[in-house]
Amino acid sequence: MAVTVKNKEEIEALREGGKRLAFILAEVARAVKPGVSTLDLDNLARKLVEEGGDKSAFLNYKPAGMKRPYPATICVSVNDAIVHGIPNENPLIIKEGDIVSLDMGLNHKGLFTDAAVTVGVGTVDQAGQNLIDATRLALYEGINVIKPGKHIRDISYAIEKYVRPKHLGIVEELCGHGVGYKVHEDPFIPNFCLEEKGEKLKEGMVLALEPMLNEGSRHIKLDADGYTYRTQDGKRSAHFEHTVVVTHDGVEILTQE
Ligand code: MG
């Protein structure tokens, strides 16, 4: 499928949706404390989405190849869970020192934005904090190269170049994507370099960049719940994501307050 370009009005709606999504994610992130359950976090996210008059882009969404629709408003992935942790089935109680990734998509006026943050609960050990910091900075390394005329591989290269010296595992099976009319659109945006240059970036393209980094090896496994991806070696993982739009001379982050 061809990569779509969004018009001015659509970008305006995405900007408003992105702002709302950033607000909700920040509120949920503030609620992440020892003793809070993942179900509490999902309930808070659902309440905030409803108060804004919008819809969760994830609730009841059935990605290609999945056996059932996703059952929650947000994804909450704790420690060795990389992404797509289900918060409202067998909820977990958050503990001091946990690494908690929150991922959410918002449908505002029929247009979709997608974002994720990882938070450390209370005092996190140095390796865990390094993992969180590296993942957040890898996201910005990718964002900062975006402008018309660059290619998808330039984003992948910037992320990989930043991460490699840190000896963290870069998840390869899951990657960034186009977004806007749907939760997932073309192109794929790997967090490591492929041989092909990929799509050439054009003003109005809307992209979700989302590095997922593992403390140990890059290898992943899928839980019996059909959604939760975990590290194969049981070590921890972090995830940050922004939805951005390619502007006439650079890039604008849509998912910020
Ligand atoms: Mg995404």
Side-chain angles (χ1 to χ4, degrees):
M1 204 187 74
V3 177
T4 62
V5 164
K6 277 74 180 179
N7 68 32
K8 254 190 170 169
E9 292 72 35
E10 291 165 341
I11 291 167
E12 192 43 50
L14 287 162
R15 190 177 284 122
E16 175 60 26
K19 212 183 264 187
R20 291 169 177 224
L21 172 53
F23 165 76
I24 294 168
L25 260 189
E27 285 290 306
V28 177
R30 273 191 281 275
V32 175
K33 291 190 175 116
V36 165
S37 82
T38 56
L39 176 62
D40 298 331
L41 300 175
D42 191 56
N43 285 338
L44 173 61
R46 195 184 60 222
K47 177 176 142 284
L48 293 170
V49 171
E50 282 170 4
E51 280 174 6
D54 295 315
K55 283 185 198 145
S56 162
F58 292 176
L59 182 63
N60 296 321
Y61 173 64
K62 191 166 170 288
M66 292 301 183
K67 291 196 181 81
R68 59 168 180 148
Y70 187 74
T73 297
I74 52 171
C75 300
V76 183
S77 306
V78 182
N79 295 331
D80 67 318
I82 302 166
V83 287
H84 305 167
I86 300 175
N88 57 353
E89 294 177 355
N90 309 311
L92 289 174
I93 304 292
I94 305 291
K95 300 186 306 294
E96 173 86 15
D98 280 348
I99 288 178
V100 180
S101 301
L102 307 167
D103 187 0
M104 194 180 125
L106 192 74
N107 171 351
H108 172 68
K109 294 186 175 170
L111 290 155
F112 296 82
T113 50
D114 194 358
V117 294
T118 298
V119 294
V121 183
T123 308
V124 175
D125 62 70
Q126 195 57 52
Q129 194 57 52
N130 291 347
L131 174 69
I132 295 172
D133 293 344
T135 311
R136 186 180 55 247
L137 292 171
L139 170 62
Y140 287 98
E141 290 289 323
I143 291 173
N144 288 339
V145 298
I146 295 176
K147 62 179 179 184
K150 293 278 188 180
H151 290 80
I152 294 299
R153 193 178 60 179
D154 295 312
I155 299 172
S156 305
Y157 177 78
I159 294 171
E160 182 171 7
K161 182 168 167 261
Y162 174 77
V163 175
R164 284 300 171 212
K166 304 189 181 301
H167 306 290
L168 297 167
I170 300 178
V171 173
E172 295 189 359
E173 293 83 350
L174 304 158
C175 54
H177 51 91
V179 63
Y181 301 132
K182 295 187 286 182
V183 188
H184 292 111
E185 297 177 13
D186 281 343
F188 286 113
I189 311 173
N191 296 302
F192 63 101
C193 236
L194 292 172
E195 208 167 300
E196 54 267 31
K197 278 161 85 172
E199 197 77 25
K200 191 180 203 174
L201 302 182
K202 274 197 283 198
E203 181 176 357
M205 284 182 178
V206 178
L207 308 171
L209 274 62
E210 50 178 330
M212 287 153 254
L213 302 183
N214 298 344
E215 197 180 2
S217 93
R218 70 170 182 83
H219 297 288
I220 70 174
K221 62 182 183 189
L222 184 61
D223 257 17
D225 68 16
Y227 273 99
T228 312
Y229 282 102
R230 294 185 187 277
T231 60
Q232 245 177 47
D233 60 14
K235 293 189 178 174
R236 297 168 295 182
S237 188
H239 177 214
F240 279 84
E241 177 176 25
H242 269 310
T243 297
V244 307
V245 57
V246 183
T247 62
H248 71 285
D249 62 352
V251 63
E252 177 189 340
I253 297 174
L254 296 173
T255 42
Q256 60 189 7
E257 285 182 90

